[in-house]
């Protein structure tokens, strides 16, 4: 009995749980259920029809016709009885049924007399309630009416079941939605026609767009899809969603989403089509996994590895050998190949570094280490024991090459560890000491050479710090400035410099340090220890280290006090001499002109010849003085030039006219060729001087009856003026010195033809001051042609730059 009750209780508890799971109690009315009760009451002709659900303490009506309450206590419910059986419960007259006769719903409102209830049995077998019809008077139900009522009850059951399925579907949908939105992956889907239907929030963010109705041909462009190289646009047949829709299973297809103005995103795609229960395709879905970080990490690792490999391969001066934990060689770089004469193939995976060592050195080291650690140490441990104990291993060894040759090396060994600090191998780097010694030796040698040169240099030399302190000075400088070396080393150049020269020097020091100029030279005055002022020529260069950082200055200092004085003396002498000579000479020439002009009467023939010689020599002397003065002025840059625009031809005509007398004296004809109208920018007087020099040379070196031709022509942006003679020409050996001052081909010519040897030197300077240049061509025995190149002036008055200079 007790057992039975227990079963009933448990069944009822399950039934109540099932009822609750439908989540239907106390929900608002629904049209479908109301339609059923309406139909039931019509079919059976009863005023009341209910869908009643039996809860723990009450019966609640999901739908009711003809009744205003929505629930009644379970204890009074007919339905509570009805659900105890599978068959319909029909009570024809409640008054005559002992179970209900004194039920308040029978004796009182709503005065129930007739009741027919069909249990609502769910798929699970639980009977949740009934569909029932009620009347206030006793009655019968036709069998057909009862069957229809049963049909309606079945309809009600399926409605309740559907209701729950719909709710479950909604829940699943919501779950899926929130899952998709929360997913760190991008998800995109299309429908059965291949139209884009869904992008989750990631996909929308990554593409900067949602699913749009677009022809698939435009997807790549619209959604910025590229191949994994990040450059090639993704062709239609490679778009994962298209592939999945077409029936392919997409596995880890990598591609790049490159939205403008954003860093490229690399994704791995997986996808497939999905189908309904009947195998009809419903659409396709693709998940995209962001692998940008992984790609970057992979690339970085590859780069680092390549970098490291490059370093290892490039270190031909250092032997790099790595081994595994037991000593077997795993890496043997070109430096090691070079040092040891083995190829990497011969040693990697074959040998341990022990193969490169001299047995006696190994034994000696073994003895040392064993003593130190108080246990036998041998084999590969000889190299790696100390680094493994955390002490640096840096030792000189003798390597034995493959060919038997020996090399002293410095070997540094370190332990390679994994992330957990466990040794995974060893790395040895060996430096060939004989090469190192050679470099040191070369360094010592060049240092010694520099020191000797420094010490014995005839000019003063100093190494000067960037701040100006003397780091080293040579003997000449000490003597020049009358200082002891030790005293000079305690001072700086600023202290010894004449205050007026300091600023210019410091400016150039700045330019030197900043790299604007590679070195500089300047005349500069220094005070000696005894207070004398020395004029020096200073040359400074800057020494930089391997990284280009300034280290110190190298200064060369030459005493030019004497040279300066000499120069001053010379120019004073020239000035005085020319003035002192010119004044008396003018009167001598005047006197001779008078005598030779016959003004003071006839002179004896023997005297006449002497007077003519005297006059010629006086003229020559005058010419020499003029040339000397010009030369001196040119050298001191004191000759003023008044550059003006002139038509060339009239200038040349004047030059020819002025030298006509001289030409007649030598029986030479002057010819002018050229008719172009061209202008030049020259100082007319200086130009005349140039032409006079060239013409007089051409005339005096021409044979009697010869012709001297002056011609001019345009040449590119310039003008070329030629003075040609048919004289002896200029000897090969002399050609180099033609434009030097006081240069003449042979002593004899001067005497024979006159001249100072200054003419062409002056001419060259004058031409260059007028932005032109001069050269010549000469054939011995046939004549010479001197060419002056000048820049032409355009009609606008503008001069073309470098027209003549290009030929210098
Ligand atoms: P000088 O006053 O002696 O002529 P220049 O400087 O004008 O001095 O000329 C230097 C030397 O160049 C001449 O002495 C001569 O030897 C040589 N020279 C110059 N022009 C000619 C020329 N047209 N033909 C041959 N030799 C020449």
């Amino acid at each position: 009995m007790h057992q039975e009750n227990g079963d009933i209780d448990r069944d009822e508890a399950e039934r109540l749980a099932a009822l609750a799971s439908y989540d239907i109690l106390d929900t608002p009315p629904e049209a479908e259920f109301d339609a059923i009760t309406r139909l039931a009451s019509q079919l059976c002709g009863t005023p009341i029809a209910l869908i009643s659900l039996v809860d723990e303490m009450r019966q609640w009506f999901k739908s009711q016709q003809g009744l205003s309450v929505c629930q009644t206590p379970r204890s009074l419910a007919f339905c509570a009885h009805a659900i105890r059986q599978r068959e319909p419960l029909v009570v024809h007259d409640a008054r005559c049924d002992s179970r209900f006769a004194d039920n308040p719903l029978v004796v009182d409102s709503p005065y129930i007399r007739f009741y027919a209830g069909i249990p609502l049995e769910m798929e699970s077998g639980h009977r949740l309630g009934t569909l029932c019809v009620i009347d206030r008077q006793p009655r019968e139900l036709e069998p057909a009416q009862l069957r229809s009522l049963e049909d309606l009850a079945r309809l009600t059951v399926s409605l309740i079941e559907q209701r729950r399925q719909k709710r479950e579907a909604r829940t699943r949908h919501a779950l899926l939605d929130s899952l998709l939105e929360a997913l760190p992956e991008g998800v995109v889907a299309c429908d059965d026609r291949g139209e884009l239907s869904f992008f989750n929030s990631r996909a929308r963010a990554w593409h900067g767009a949602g699913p749009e109705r677009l022809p698939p041909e435009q997807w790549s462009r619209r959604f910025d899809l590229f191949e994994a190289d990040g450059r090639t646009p993704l062709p239609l047949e490679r778009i994962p969603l298209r592939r999945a829709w077409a029936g392919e299973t997409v596995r880890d297809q990598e591609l790049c989403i490159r939205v403008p103005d954003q860093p490229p995103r690399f994704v791995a795609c997986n996808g497939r089509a999905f189908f309904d229960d009947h195998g009809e395709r419903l659409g396709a879905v693709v998940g995209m996994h962001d692998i940008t970080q992984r790609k970057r990490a992979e690339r970085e690792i590859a780069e680092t590895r390549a970098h490291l490999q490059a370093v290892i391969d490039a270190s031909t001066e250092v032997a790099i050998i790595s081994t595994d934990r037991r000593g077997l060689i795993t890496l043997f770089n070109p430096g090691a190949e070079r040092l040891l004469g083995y190829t990497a193939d011969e040693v990697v995976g074959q040998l341990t570094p022990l193969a490169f060592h001299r047995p006696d050195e190994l034994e000696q080291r073994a003895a040392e280490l064993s003593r130190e650690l108080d246990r036998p140490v041998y084999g590969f441990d000889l190299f790696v024991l100390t680094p493994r104990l955390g002490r640096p291993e840096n030792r000189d060894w003798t390597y034995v090459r493959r060919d038997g040759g020996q090399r002293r090396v410095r070997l540094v060994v370190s332990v390679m560890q994994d992330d957990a600090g466990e040794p995974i191998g060893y790395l040895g780097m060996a430096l060939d000491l004989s090469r190192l010694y050679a470099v040191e030796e070369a360094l010592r040698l060049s240092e010694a050479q520099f020191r000797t040169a420094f010490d014995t240099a005839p000019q003063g030399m100093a190494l000067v710090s960037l701040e100006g302190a003397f780091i080293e000075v040579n003997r000449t400088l000490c003597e020049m400035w009358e200082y002891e070396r030790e005293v000079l080393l305690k001072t700086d150049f600023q202290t010894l410099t004449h205050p007026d020269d300091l600023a210019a020097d410091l400016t150039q020091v700045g330019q030197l340090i900043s790299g604007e100029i590679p070195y500089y030279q300047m005349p500069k005055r220094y005070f000696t220890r005894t207070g004398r002022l020395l004029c020096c020529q200073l040359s400074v260069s800057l020494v930089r280290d391997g990284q280009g950082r300034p280290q110190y200055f190298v200064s060369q200092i030459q005493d030019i006090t004497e040279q300066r004085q000499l120069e001053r003396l010379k120019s004073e002498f020239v000035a005085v001499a020319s003035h002192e000579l010119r004044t008396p000479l003018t009167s001598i020439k005047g006197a001779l002109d008078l005598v030779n002009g016959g003004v003071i009467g006839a002179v004896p023939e023997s005297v006449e010849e002497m007077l003519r010689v005297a006059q010629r020599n006086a003229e020559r002397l005058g010419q020499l003085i003029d040339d000397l003065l010009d030369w001196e002025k040119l050298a001191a840059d004191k000759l003023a030039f008044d550059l003006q625009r002139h038509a060339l031809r009239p200038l040349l005509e004047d030059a020819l006219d002025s030298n006509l007398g001289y030409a007649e004296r030598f029986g030479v004809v002057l010819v002018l060729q050229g008719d172009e109208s061209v202008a030049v920018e020259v100082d007319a007087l200086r130009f005349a001087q140039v032409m006079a020099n060239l013409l007089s040379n051409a005339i005096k070196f021409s044979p009697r009856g010869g012709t001297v031709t002056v011609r001019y022509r345009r040449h590119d942006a310039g003008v070329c003026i030629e003075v040609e003679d048919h004289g002896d020409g200029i000897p090969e050996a002399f050609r180099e010195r033609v434009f030097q001052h006081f240069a003449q081909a042979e002593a004899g010519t001067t005497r024979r033809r006159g001249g100072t040897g200054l003419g062409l030197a002056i001419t060259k300077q004058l031409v260059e001051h007028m932005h032109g240049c001069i050269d010549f061509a000469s054939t011995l025995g046939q004549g010479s042609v001197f060419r002056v190149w000048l820049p032409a002036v355009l009609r606008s008055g503008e001069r073309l730059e470098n027209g003549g200079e290009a030929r210098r």
Side-chain angles (χ1 to χ4, degrees), residues 162-385:
Q162 263 181 34
R163 197 177 169 283
R164 180 161 83 170
Q165 277 168 10
K166 258 198 230 156
R167 203 168 47 89
E168 279 173 359
R170 266 203 307 277
T171 313
R172 258 203 312 277
H173 211 94
L175 178 78
L176 203 65
D177 268 359
S178 55
L179 186 74
L180 280 172
E181 291 307 293
L183 218 54
E185 315 241 322
V187 178
V188 294
C190 65
D191 62 19
D192 57 331
R193 281 162 307 150
E195 298 264 19
L196 290 176
S197 58
F198 174 80
F199 277 29
N200 75 344
S201 63
R202 285 291 149 145
R204 286 194 301 275
W206 292 354
H207 292 298
E212 292 168 18
R213 296 223 163 257
L214 273 184
E217 293 73 27
Q218 295 179 17
W219 289 1
S220 249
R221 175 153 352 166
R222 175 68 184 95
F223 300 113
D224 308 293
L225 304 179
F226 293 85
E227 291 282 9
D229 63 9
R231 287 188 307 273
T232 318
L234 201 63
L236 179 61
E237 69 279 7
R238 292 263 304 146
I239 297 177
L241 192 58
R242 283 299 283 187
R243 291 178 56 201
W245 181 75
E248 269 187 83
T249 303
V250 180
R251 283 243 168 284
D252 287 326
Q253 182 190 341
E254 294 188 6
L255 55 88
C256 176
I257 303 172
R258 220 185 60 204
V259 179
D261 302 327
Q262 276 185 37
R265 181 184 306 280
F266 293 91
V267 294
C269 301
N270 287 284
R272 59 186 185 84
F274 52 94
F275 304 88
D276 67 9
D277 297 343
H278 311 292
E280 285 284 330
R281 184 181 60 194
L282 295 175
V285 61
V286 164
M288 303 181 285
H289 181 64
D290 190 339
I291 54 168
T292 314
Q293 298 277 14
R294 193 188 84 200
K295 282 281 234 197
R296 186 178 308 142
E298 277 173 7
R299 201 175 49 238
E300 276 167 11
I301 289 175
E303 275 171 11
T304 313
R305 201 165 280 160
H307 221 90
L308 214 62
Q309 193 61 44
V311 170
I312 289 171
D313 289 348
S315 350
T316 49
E317 296 304 313
V318 185
I320 301 177
I321 303 171
S322 77
T323 72
D324 64 14
R325 254 189 327 196
R326 287 162 310 144
L328 208 58
I329 292 174
T330 51
L331 181 147
F332 199 75
N333 84 328
E337 290 184 330
R338 193 168 128 180
L339 180 64
L340 285 158
Y342 290 91
T343 65
D345 287 346
E346 287 171 320
V347 296
V348 170
Q350 318 267 338
L351 299 179
T352 80
L354 285 167
F356 312 135
H357 286 262
R358 257 174 41 182
D360 58 328
E361 288 187 356
L362 292 175
E363 265 168 43
Q364 195 192 332
R365 180 69 185 138
E368 264 173 39
L369 266 178
S370 303
R371 218 175 18 250
E372 194 183 317
L373 299 174
D374 203 18
R375 65 178 170 87
V377 180
Y378 50 86
F380 185 63
D381 274 353
L382 293 179
F383 310 119
V384 300
L385 205 58

Side-chain angles (χ1 to χ4, degrees), residues 627 693-694 696-701 725 727-731 734 738-740 742-746 749-750 754-761 763 778 783-784 786:
D627 282 358
N693 271 330
L694 295 179
S696 68
N697 278 348
I699 291 166
K700 73 188 175 194
F701 289 105
D725 66 57
D728 296 340
I730 301 169
F734 178 64
V738 166
F739 292 111
Q740 288 175 8
F742 299 118
Q744 290 178 321
E746 42 173 312
T749 43
T750 320
T756 61
L758 268 176
L760 282 178
T763 301
S778 183
S784 314
F786 279 80

